[in-house]
Amino acid sequence: TETTEGTVYTVTGQDWDTITAGLGEADQERVVVNMGPQHPSTHGVLRLILELEGETVTECRLGIGYLHTGIEKNCEYRTWTQGVTFVTRMDYLAPLFNEYAYVSAVEKLLGIEEQIPERVNVIRVMLMELNRISSHLVCLATGGMELGALTAMTFGFREREMILDIFEMVTGLRMNHAYFRPGGLAQDLPPGAVDAIRDLLKLMPKRLADTENLLVGNK
């Protein structure tokens, strides 16, 4: 529309018109807020359509599925090995688990599960266990931050950094490793990796125990 101040653009999108038209008449003024998928608290994984009366949320509609980023379709046009570089990005906190799910499925399709060397399986499990700890540390650390416990946030990420250092030594990357491959691994453990992991296993329990004692003592 044309106004004295210039052109005014009315911006809508997808099903927004349908949603607002379906609100109908209400005794009180209601506001519809489109929260996400690009919102700091949703991390790009979902869309929340909120209906508000003042500061009270009276209705919430969910739109999920924003995280797939076309990975399944992309993998249709890639080799078995190239597919690993896609699936490792499905969960940036636990990429090795997605890699294992993918490569184990490929190995089952090819009928080579029994041909995987024992050393490969041991390394896979070891790295996934370390990845599990690092992922849980992020959950606990950020959960503490949300509650105002910044010490939990600081210590949680401090311990996670030690695990990411191990990942960087073994795979060359701190995240999105593409280290697991159908039939094996990208490469064997580098020199010094076993000693570094052993040192981590000695230090990590003590660090976590000290952190727990500090947090409990500060309640």
Side-chain angles (χ1 to χ4, degrees):
T1 58
E2 295 293 336
T3 68
T4 56
E5 298 178 356
T7 304
V8 175
Y9 296 95
T10 300
V11 180
T12 60
Q14 297 182 346
D15 55 350
W16 190 247
D17 291 335
T18 304
I19 292 171
T20 54
L23 290 177
E25 297 296 330
D27 296 334
Q28 300 180 5
E29 181 179 355
R30 289 188 288 179
V31 178
V32 178
V33 179
N34 193 22
M35 179 180 171
Q38 302 305 324
H39 188 278
S41 67
T42 64
H43 303 283
V45 300
L46 81 163
R47 172 192 181 199
L48 303 175
I49 303 169
L50 305 175
E51 183 179 323
L52 309 176
E53 288 185 5
E55 295 184 356
T56 302
V57 177
T58 58
E59 184 178 349
C60 177
R61 307 181 193 180
L62 299 179
I64 63 175
Y66 285 86
L67 194 60
H68 63 81
T69 62
I71 288 176
E72 182 178 1
K73 180 58 67 174
N74 272 299
C75 286
E76 293 180 7
Y77 303 94
R78 301 300 190 278
T79 64
W80 295 121
T81 302
Q82 290 173 333
V84 181
T85 63
F86 285 88
V87 300
T88 191
R89 289 165 168 78
M90 291 194 296
D91 182 355
Y92 56 88
L93 292 179
L96 292 171
F97 286 88
N98 293 289
E99 293 182 26
Y100 180 75
Y102 171 77
V103 299
S104 61
V106 172
E107 290 162 359
K108 186 174 182 179
L109 286 171
L110 298 176
I112 60 173
E113 307 107 301
E114 302 300 326
Q115 302 177 35
I116 308 303
E118 182 180 0
R119 180 176 178 84
V120 169
N121 286 325
V122 170
I123 293 175
R124 286 177 177 178
V125 171
M126 178 180 65
L127 292 181
M128 284 193 291
E129 285 299 292
L130 290 174
N131 200 177
R132 178 177 61 85
I133 296 173
S134 68
S135 176
H136 285 22
L137 283 172
V138 172
C139 176
L140 296 172
T142 54
M145 181 184 66
E146 297 288 349
L147 297 173
L150 297 183
T151 304
M153 172 73 173
T154 303
F155 284 2
F157 273 81
R158 181 190 66 177
E159 321 310 352
R160 177 174 178 259
E161 283 297 308
M162 295 190 296
I163 298 178
L164 295 187
D165 289 340
I166 297 292
F167 289 160
E168 186 175 10
M169 174 187 293
V170 174
T171 72
L173 294 167
R174 293 161 56 84
M175 297 169 60
N176 304 332
H177 313 282
Y179 182 66
F180 295 174
R181 303 293 174 86
L185 303 166
Q187 60 188 20
D188 197 359
L189 295 177
V194 174
D195 292 335
I197 294 172
R198 285 175 175 164
D199 292 340
L200 172 67
L201 296 180
K202 293 178 182 178
L203 180 61
M204 181 67 74
K206 182 179 184 303
R207 285 279 188 90
L208 295 179
D210 291 345
T211 303
E212 180 182 6
N213 293 333
L214 176 62
L215 295 177
V216 172
N218 287 337
K219 281 186 177 180

